[in-house]
């Protein structure tokens, strides 16, 4: 495995310490210094709303304070790494409840962000198009729906309203039917799903994922 040269690592460390948010500093310190899981959890809770979803700029290129499926997928992505903590599990359970409440039955998945995203600073790709009723991100079902499905599968003991197995099958069928891939982020979300599934599903997914250039 290739590694950063020591001088480059020191430059990265310096910039993280100088410019990063406290959350990213806590994650760095856990992996490379004497940081701990509890500090990461403490910082993650800052971004979680009362409805269980995440917002408040945890996905840093849109500043919507309200909960969104996209931001919540980021929150759970981090919580997953510390789910050995009992308190982290409580926050994950609340996030799963938010995923269930924000599920769009007609889409059989999730839209990334609500229209209120337009009221706050955001990158162009997060702009909600009133005519289409979605962002350009939502042209691809898998982002964030495939990743959210991964977390519903991993934490299915907290999932009460949705049929997780049906969602998994839908997600796999969706990518199997695609003839071309026009979104790297969508593939990344499918990789997250692949990480959580048993071998029989991984074989099907990997056949499609490896086709992405």
């Amino acid at each position: 495995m290739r590694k950063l040269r020591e001088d480059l690592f020191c430059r990265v460390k310096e910039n993280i310490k100088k410019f990063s948010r406290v959350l990213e500093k806590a994650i760095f310190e856990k992996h490379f210094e004497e940081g701990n899981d509890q500090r990461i959890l403490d910082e993650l809770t800052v971004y979680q709303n009362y409805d269980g979803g995440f917002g408040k700029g945890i996905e840093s290129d849109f500043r919507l304070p309200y909960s969104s499926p996209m931001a919540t997928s980021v929150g759970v992505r981090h919580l997953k790494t510390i789910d050995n903590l009992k308190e982290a599990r409580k926050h994950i359970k609340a996030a799963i409840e938010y995923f269930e409440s924000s599920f769009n039955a007609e889409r059989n998945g999730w839209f990334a962000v609500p229209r209120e995203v337009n009221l706050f600073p955001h990158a162009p790709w997060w702009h909600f198009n009133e005519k289409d009723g979605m962002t350009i991100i939502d042209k691809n079902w898998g982002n964030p729906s495939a990743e959210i499905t991964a977390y519903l599968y991993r934490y299915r003991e907290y999932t009460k309203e949705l049929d997780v197995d049906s969602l998994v099958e839908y997600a796999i069928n969706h990518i199997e039917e695609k003839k071309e891939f026009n979104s790297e982020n969508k593939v990344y979300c499918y990789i997250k799903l692949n990480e959580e599934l048993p071998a029989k599903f991984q074989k099907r997914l990997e056949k499609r994922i490896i086709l992405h250039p």
Side-chain angles (χ1 to χ4, degrees):
M1 180 173 60
R2 297 182 64 184
K3 297 182 179 180
L4 282 177
R5 298 197 317 265
E6 184 175 355
D7 62 316
L8 291 177
F9 176 81
C10 289
R11 288 168 59 188
V12 170
K13 175 181 176 179
E14 180 181 351
N15 280 284
I16 289 174
K17 296 287 188 179
K18 185 175 182 180
F19 299 112
S20 291
R21 300 178 299 186
V22 180
L23 172 60
E24 282 73 29
K25 290 176 183 176
I27 293 170
F28 178 87
E29 289 166 3
K30 173 191 173 180
H31 291 289
F32 298 103
E33 297 180 347
E34 296 183 358
N36 57 70
D37 291 346
Q38 185 60 50
R39 186 171 182 225
I40 295 174
L41 178 60
D42 291 343
E43 293 308 317
L44 283 172
T45 59
V46 172
Y47 297 95
Q48 193 166 25
N49 291 314
Y50 289 112
D51 61 3
F54 281 75
K56 305 176 184 177
I58 190 170
E59 171 59 66
S60 57
D61 54 3
F62 66 88
R63 300 298 176 150
L64 178 72
Y66 315 131
S67 299
S68 69
M70 180 62 73
T72 306
S73 73
V74 175
V76 179
R77 190 186 307 158
H78 290 309
L79 285 168
K80 169 188 165 182
T81 67
I82 57 172
D83 66 4
N84 56 298
L85 297 179
K86 183 177 180 180
E87 189 66 25
R89 285 276 178 163
K90 293 180 181 179
H91 291 279
I92 290 168
K93 181 176 183 293
I96 296 299
E97 290 172 355
Y98 170 78
F99 283 142
E100 292 199 296
S101 68
S102 59
F103 179 77
N104 185 287
E106 184 176 350
R107 182 174 176 80
N108 203 28
W110 292 262
F111 288 103
V113 293
R115 57 173 36 89
E116 287 82 5
V117 73
N118 292 352
L119 301 175
F120 302 91
H122 59 277
W125 47 87
W126 295 115
H127 193 78
F128 187 92
N129 187 320
E130 292 289 349
K131 182 178 180 180
D132 294 341
M134 64 177 72
T135 69
I136 193 171
I137 298 293
D138 295 308
K139 301 292 184 181
N140 293 287
W141 180 89
N143 185 18
S145 292
E147 183 173 357
I148 292 173
T149 301
Y151 301 138
L152 294 178
Y153 190 90
R154 182 180 178 92
Y155 303 110
R156 62 190 306 156
E157 70 267 32
Y158 303 137
T159 307
K160 306 302 181 185
E161 304 296 331
L162 297 176
D163 184 338
V164 179
D165 293 324
S166 177
L167 276 172
V168 168
E169 189 63 35
Y170 181 88
I172 297 175
N173 287 337
H174 178 79
I175 197 172
E176 285 179 334
E177 293 170 359
K178 296 289 288 185
K179 291 184 169 62
E180 57 184 43
F181 301 92
N182 55 2
S183 169
E184 289 184 357
N185 287 323
K186 173 180 178 176
V187 176
Y188 296 153
C189 289
Y190 269 99
I191 291 173
K192 293 294 184 185
L193 177 58
N194 191 60
E195 291 172 352
E196 302 300 336
L197 297 180
K200 65 177 182 178
F201 293 123
Q202 288 180 336
K203 290 178 181 178
R204 291 173 61 189
L205 269 181
E206 287 167 4
K207 288 179 181 178
R208 304 302 298 165
I209 291 172
I210 62 175
L211 295 179
H212 190 274

